[in-house]
Amino acid sequence: MIIDNKILEDIVTAGIKIGTISTLKELGLLKEEVSASQAEQTYKKRHIREWREKGWITGYPTGNPQRGKYYYKRSELERASAMMSLGNAVPLNKLS
């Protein structure tokens, strides 16, 4: 199967975005932990719920219920976002 240019562009763009976030995180310029409210604001509450149900992301306990019950890892959120965006564009055998 030949992948069309738009799909290839989307794949490369997602890879660049994830790589940039990873680099910024490694340089200490971006925090890995994202509060539940920040995650819901950035990625939408329904997506967070769906990704958790699918097991794509994990809600980690904060240890401080006054500030929030859960936090998420930015890398997991970005991967889930890319998986959702590219999931219907690339055949499963190409992802394996």
Side-chain angles (χ1 to χ4, degrees):
M1 175 183 180
I2 298 174
I3 298 177
D4 105 1
N5 288 342
K6 175 65 175 135
I7 294 170
L8 186 58
E9 181 182 314
D10 291 345
I11 292 168
V12 171
T13 301
I16 291 170
K17 183 178 179 184
I18 291 170
T20 301
I21 288 171
S22 178
T23 301
L24 291 172
K25 189 181 66 173
E26 291 296 320
L27 292 171
L29 300 173
L30 191 63
K31 288 177 57 176
E32 171 68 359
E33 293 83 22
V34 178
S35 72
S37 62
Q38 289 172 326
E40 290 171 357
Q41 194 172 40
T42 302
Y43 301 96
K44 304 298 179 225
K45 189 172 186 169
R46 65 185 172 89
H47 290 141
I48 300 297
R49 190 178 329 109
E50 177 184 342
W51 298 342
R52 284 190 72 175
E53 288 171 0
K54 289 182 176 182
W56 291 0
I57 62 171
T58 302
Y60 299 92
T62 62
N64 184 355
Q66 282 74 30
R67 295 200 63 197
K69 291 182 181 180
Y70 299 101
Y71 72 88
Y72 298 99
K73 291 186 177 180
R74 188 178 308 274
S75 55
E76 290 179 1
L77 291 166
E78 284 301 321
R79 270 195 303 271
S81 178
M83 288 168 59
M84 183 182 75
S85 297
L86 299 173
N88 295 327
V90 181
L92 282 178
N93 63 345
K94 296 293 183 186
L95 293 174
S96 302

